Amino acid sequence: MSRTTFFEVEILDTKTKEQLCFLDKVEPHSSIADIKSLFHKSYPKWYPARQSLRLDPKGKALRDDDILQNLPVGTSASIYFKDLGPQLGWTMVFLVEYLGPLLIYLLFYLRVPYIYSKKHTFTSSTHPVVSLACACHSFHYIKRLIETIFLHRFSHGTMPLGSIVRNCAYYWGFAAWLAYYINHPLYTPPSYGERQVNYALMIFLLCEAGNFSIHWTLNGLKCEGSKSRRYPRPSKNPFTWLFVFVSCPNYTYEVGAWVGLSIMTQCVPVALFTLVGFAQMTIWARGKHKTYIREFKDYPNLRMPILPLIL
């Protein structure tokens, strides 16, 4: 009869190298998530979501599903702990980030007092494109809120509170900036009039539909669970055919929707928001693209991170 070899795990502070906790007789098949739970019993203020455990003080954080006996450590393991700070659930994060722009934009659209001059308080714009832009902006964020509540599933459970403040400043600040100019009493409508607005509206609606279709597809993959892990593929839905050329078409469609709104409003702040968003989404798309290539040996060579055949 084989005898189980237990592990001894000491948890050290990343900065001071001081021993914070010593765990005796840890099962070899214990996961990092199990070790976090044991550590949490000794330090209740550091709940698992706040913990970052690593084998080297400056190394990469271990995943929760990493198994102790599979790590490059002996039966006496030293693991370093870093406090990630207060955390907030991803669902709440996105609700806060997206509800802000929705409400902020409406304040400018309704021309509440102290934003513009007194004579324009609670007055509506004479340009139809202003109301259309408000409808599109509101639709975009309402869609995001609905997807957050009913569609999205997050691989990471929480986000640091400091990052939430930064993200809210980004979304809320840009919403106020572009809303100020689009709803300004002196706003000038697009140069090519109704034709420009209509073409831009078509781009916006098609990209919003495409973005939702991709999110629906990705949600279906996550519902299947980790045992059937596979990369997304095109389906009968024409909007998913972009998967033939792009790893993250949800970002492609997202950028396209904001390009449409930029053309519709012919407003510089909207174009700048689109450009900054494109830069950030390109970073995310490249990271996801590299993950797909690393995990799947048969991953299509034709695919690019965000722009077909380009980027």
Side-chain angles (χ1 to χ4, degrees), residues 90 125 131 140 149 151 169 221 298:
W90 273 104
S125 174
S131 295
H140 177 78
I149 297 172
L151 197 61
L221 285 180
D298 62 336

Side-chain angles (χ1 to χ4, degrees), residues 155-172:
S155 55
H156 300 287
T158 61
M159 183 181 191
L161 193 58
S163 298
I164 298 168
V165 175
R166 180 193 63 209
N167 288 5
C168 286
Y170 166 75
Y171 282 108
W172 296 17

Side-chain angles (χ1 to χ4, degrees), residues 11 22 45 73 75 127 179 187 210 214 221 226 250 267 274 290 300:
I11 298 179
F22 182 80
K45 68 175 182 178
V73 296
T75 54
H127 305 300
Y187 169 75
I214 300 303
L221 285 180
S226 58
N250 51 319
C267 184
T274 303
K290 289 180 180 178

